[in-house]
Amino acid sequence: MSRCATVSRDLDEPIAGTAATARTWLLLEQPGPWGAQALTTSHLDPALGRALEKAAEGTGVRIALIRRPGRHADFGPPAVRRVYVAHTTPGNGWLHSATTRDPEQLLDLDFAALGKGAPHTFDTVLQGRPHTGDPLALVCTNGKRDRCCALLGRPLAAELAASGVEGAWEVTHLGGHRFSPTLLVLPYGYAYGRAQAPHVKEILQGVREGRVVVEGCRGGSAWERPGQAAELAVRSAAREYATDALSIVRTDGSAPRWEVTVAHTDGRRWSVAVAQGASLPPRPESCGSALGSPARMDVVAVRELK
């Protein structure tokens, strides 16, 4: 049986406008195996996982588990866990890190404040500090959600780590299994699909230089899907790749058509028409699922406003 990622690639399914939506990402290190719903089906206390899910609801914070690439034998709870939090809204993007011996400390965080872009609660509760190391390259490897994530994601994560990418981590779920290997880059929150190691290194170099690599980009997680597609279209049309240069300031309409206003920090604005289409011919959205026609974001027009 064909893998969902192979079918999607063979059909040249568009990738822009398919990223998971989250203004803020909260990442907790959890070694060992992960189940499909990793917060409650890993070796993290499931009661804690449920409480974290509830605390994050409606706040704009998305929680994921991370682990270092490699074998995932479980040697018991780690004495010290790495924790990251990143806010991805342009102009107020940041990445802070901390360590904890007690993951229940995360329940003391003010999730609403984190979702709005204020890091103070993370720094106070966990003694967090701004991250000064390499940008994070988070590769989805959770084979319990989709086998493509394990078969394609784990070798990519291992290759990155072996080649000296210190920010390489495996992550539980980024959505879009059929675009595996999928990748999220922090602090800026841009997601990528069908990623290969040389391209990832180019993407990470771009992060260090404050620019976005558009090739293979699924979108910025700060925006809803129409905004993701619109922003990438403006970047390509205007040849503007500076990370914080563009923002989505307005989205009018509803499915299947939107008018998205994209603003530049220099005052320029664009109106972008985005239409929701159906990917044809039918294909599986994930391995083992029935054939379907996944929604796609098609940019119909890009018009600079005077």
Side-chain angles (χ1 to χ4, degrees):
M1 182 174 61
S2 295
R3 298 198 298 262
C4 66
T6 303
V7 175
S8 176
R9 184 190 297 270
D10 289 348
L11 293 174
D12 197 24
E13 183 177 349
I15 206 165
T18 66
T21 299
R23 294 190 303 272
T24 301
W25 291 84
L26 179 61
L27 309 170
L28 172 64
E29 184 176 3
Q30 176 57 57
W34 298 331
Q37 305 298 326
L39 277 178
T40 53
T41 55
S42 68
H43 290 182
L44 183 71
D45 180 355
L48 173 58
R50 285 190 292 270
L52 288 170
E53 287 178 335
K54 184 174 182 180
E57 282 180 5
T59 65
V61 177
R62 182 170 175 137
I63 306 173
L65 302 181
I66 57 174
R67 64 191 176 199
R68 284 299 190 183
R71 296 180 65 242
H72 302 133
D74 191 3
F75 301 107
V80 177
R81 303 170 190 254
R82 176 66 61 179
V83 189
Y84 295 100
V85 65
H87 188 67
T88 63
T89 301
N92 185 36
W94 45 261
L95 172 62
H96 286 212
S97 65
T99 57
T100 183
R101 294 179 178 276
D102 179 11
E104 290 202 4
Q105 283 187 296
L106 273 64
L107 293 176
D108 295 328
L109 297 173
D110 183 340
F111 282 83
L114 291 175
K116 292 175 182 177
H120 60 84
T121 177
F122 184 84
D123 294 346
T124 300
V125 171
L126 296 172
Q127 286 74 59
R129 295 291 184 271
H131 177 67
T132 57
D134 287 344
L136 304 187
L138 306 163
V139 182
C140 183
T141 63
N142 191 349
K144 286 298 195 294
R145 289 198 69 103
D146 193 282
R147 60 178 178 158
C148 283
C149 296
L151 292 173
L152 300 175
R154 288 187 64 184
L156 174 62
E159 183 177 355
L160 292 174
S163 65
V165 177
E166 293 184 4
W169 291 86
E170 298 185 10
V171 68
T172 46
H173 184 46
L174 298 177
H177 318 297
R178 64 192 183 280
F179 303 121
S180 295
T182 58
L183 173 84
L184 178 73
V185 178
L186 296 176
Y188 298 125
Y190 283 88
Y192 292 83
R194 303 174 186 144
Q196 301 298 319
H199 187 217
V200 174
K201 292 179 181 179
E202 178 188 349
I203 291 165
L204 294 174
Q205 185 58 34
V207 174
R208 296 183 190 100
E209 297 171 0
R211 59 180 172 84
V212 177
V213 173
V214 172
E215 181 185 358
C217 190
R218 300 175 61 195
S221 71
W223 316 124
E224 298 293 336
R225 291 185 63 186
Q228 295 173 12
E231 187 221 16
L232 290 174
V234 170
R235 286 193 180 280
S236 295
R239 298 184 179 180
E240 176 55 81
Y241 307 113
T243 304
D244 286 338
L246 300 179
S247 293
I248 306 303
V249 295
R250 182 168 177 169
T251 301
D252 295 312
S254 58
R257 190 176 177 93
W258 300 265
E259 292 290 332
V260 181
T261 304
V262 182
H264 195 292
T265 51
D266 67 9
R268 286 180 291 165
R269 293 196 172 206
W270 293 262
S271 178
V272 183
V274 181
Q276 179 176 301
S279 298
L280 296 173
R283 79 286 313 273
E285 291 197 47
S286 59
C287 289
S289 69
L291 295 181
S293 300
R296 51 186 279 174
M297 296 291 114
D298 295 321
V299 172
V300 178
V302 178
R303 179 171 57 93
E304 187 170 355
L305 302 175
K306 304 300 182 182

